[in-house]
Short mmCIF file of all heavy atoms in Angstrom, two decimals:
data_model
loop_
_atom_site.label_atom_id
_atom_site.label_comp_id
_atom_site.label_asym_id
_atom_site.label_seq_id
_atom_site.Cartn_x
_atom_site.Cartn_y
_atom_site.Cartn_z
N VAL A 62 -2.53 5.98 -5.01
CA VAL A 62 -1.55 5.50 -6.02
C VAL A 62 -2.05 5.67 -7.42
O VAL A 62 -1.40 6.21 -8.30
CB VAL A 62 -1.13 4.07 -5.72
CG1 VAL A 62 -0.18 3.52 -6.83
CG2 VAL A 62 -0.41 3.94 -4.34
N ILE A 63 -3.28 5.18 -7.64
CA ILE A 63 -3.90 5.23 -8.97
C ILE A 63 -4.12 6.67 -9.41
O ILE A 63 -3.79 7.02 -10.57
CB ILE A 63 -5.24 4.46 -9.00
CG1 ILE A 63 -4.95 2.96 -8.75
CG2 ILE A 63 -5.97 4.69 -10.31
CD1 ILE A 63 -6.17 2.15 -8.52
N GLU A 64 -4.57 7.55 -8.55
CA GLU A 64 -4.77 8.98 -8.91
C GLU A 64 -3.40 9.65 -9.15
O GLU A 64 -3.34 10.51 -10.10
CB GLU A 64 -5.54 9.67 -7.84
CG GLU A 64 -7.02 9.29 -7.83
CD GLU A 64 -7.85 9.90 -6.72
OE1 GLU A 64 -7.25 10.58 -5.83
OE2 GLU A 64 -9.06 9.81 -6.78
N THR A 65 -2.37 9.29 -8.43
CA THR A 65 -1.09 9.88 -8.69
C THR A 65 -0.57 9.49 -10.04
O THR A 65 0.12 10.27 -10.76
CB THR A 65 -0.07 9.47 -7.58
OG1 THR A 65 -0.52 9.89 -6.36
CG2 THR A 65 1.30 10.01 -7.88
N ALA A 66 -0.99 8.31 -10.52
CA ALA A 66 -0.58 7.83 -11.87
C ALA A 66 -1.43 8.46 -12.96
O ALA A 66 -1.14 8.23 -14.12
CB ALA A 66 -0.64 6.29 -11.90
N GLY A 67 -2.53 9.11 -12.62
CA GLY A 67 -3.39 9.75 -13.57
C GLY A 67 -4.68 9.03 -13.83
O GLY A 67 -5.42 9.37 -14.75
N GLY A 68 -5.05 8.07 -13.04
CA GLY A 68 -6.27 7.32 -13.19
C GLY A 68 -7.26 7.49 -12.07
O GLY A 68 -7.12 8.44 -11.24
N ASN A 69 -8.26 6.65 -11.97
CA ASN A 69 -9.20 6.69 -10.87
C ASN A 69 -9.68 5.27 -10.60
O ASN A 69 -9.36 4.33 -11.35
CB ASN A 69 -10.38 7.66 -11.17
CG ASN A 69 -11.15 7.26 -12.43
OD1 ASN A 69 -11.72 6.17 -12.49
ND2 ASN A 69 -11.22 8.12 -13.40
N MET A 70 -10.49 5.10 -9.61
CA MET A 70 -10.92 3.79 -9.19
C MET A 70 -11.79 3.07 -10.27
O MET A 70 -11.84 1.83 -10.25
CB MET A 70 -11.65 3.81 -7.83
CG MET A 70 -10.78 4.19 -6.70
SD MET A 70 -9.40 3.09 -6.35
CE MET A 70 -10.21 1.93 -5.27
N ASP A 71 -12.36 3.82 -11.16
CA ASP A 71 -13.09 3.19 -12.27
C ASP A 71 -12.19 2.43 -13.24
O ASP A 71 -12.64 1.57 -13.98
CB ASP A 71 -13.94 4.21 -13.03
CG ASP A 71 -15.09 4.75 -12.31
OD1 ASP A 71 -15.59 4.06 -11.35
OD2 ASP A 71 -15.54 5.88 -12.59
N ASP A 72 -10.92 2.76 -13.14
CA ASP A 72 -9.90 2.08 -14.01
C ASP A 72 -9.41 0.75 -13.48
O ASP A 72 -8.68 0.01 -14.15
CB ASP A 72 -8.69 3.02 -14.22
CG ASP A 72 -9.02 4.33 -14.89
OD1 ASP A 72 -9.88 4.28 -15.83
OD2 ASP A 72 -8.54 5.35 -14.47
N VAL A 73 -9.82 0.41 -12.22
CA VAL A 73 -9.39 -0.87 -11.60
C VAL A 73 -9.99 -2.03 -12.35
O VAL A 73 -11.17 -2.10 -12.53
CB VAL A 73 -9.69 -0.87 -10.15
CG1 VAL A 73 -9.37 -2.26 -9.53
CG2 VAL A 73 -8.94 0.23 -9.39
N THR A 74 -9.16 -2.99 -12.77
CA THR A 74 -9.59 -4.17 -13.46
C THR A 74 -9.46 -5.44 -12.67
O THR A 74 -10.08 -6.45 -12.97
CB THR A 74 -8.86 -4.36 -14.79
OG1 THR A 74 -7.47 -4.38 -14.55
CG2 THR A 74 -9.19 -3.20 -15.74
N PHE A 75 -8.58 -5.39 -11.61
CA PHE A 75 -8.32 -6.62 -10.85
C PHE A 75 -7.87 -6.29 -9.48
O PHE A 75 -7.01 -5.37 -9.27
CB PHE A 75 -7.29 -7.47 -11.56
CG PHE A 75 -6.99 -8.78 -10.89
CD1 PHE A 75 -7.91 -9.87 -11.01
CD2 PHE A 75 -5.91 -8.96 -10.06
CE1 PHE A 75 -7.68 -11.05 -10.39
CE2 PHE A 75 -5.68 -10.16 -9.40
CZ PHE A 75 -6.57 -11.18 -9.56
N ASN A 76 -8.29 -7.06 -8.45
CA ASN A 76 -7.84 -6.95 -7.06
C ASN A 76 -7.57 -8.34 -6.56
O ASN A 76 -8.37 -9.28 -6.77
CB ASN A 76 -8.89 -6.29 -6.18
CG ASN A 76 -9.02 -4.84 -6.40
OD1 ASN A 76 -8.09 -4.10 -6.32
ND2 ASN A 76 -10.24 -4.41 -6.77
#
Side-chain angles (χ1 to χ4, degrees):
V62 173
I63 293 169
E64 288 178 349
T65 299
N69 61 59
M70 293 298 273
D71 289 337
D72 298 319
V73 173
T74 56
F75 184 78
N76 288 303

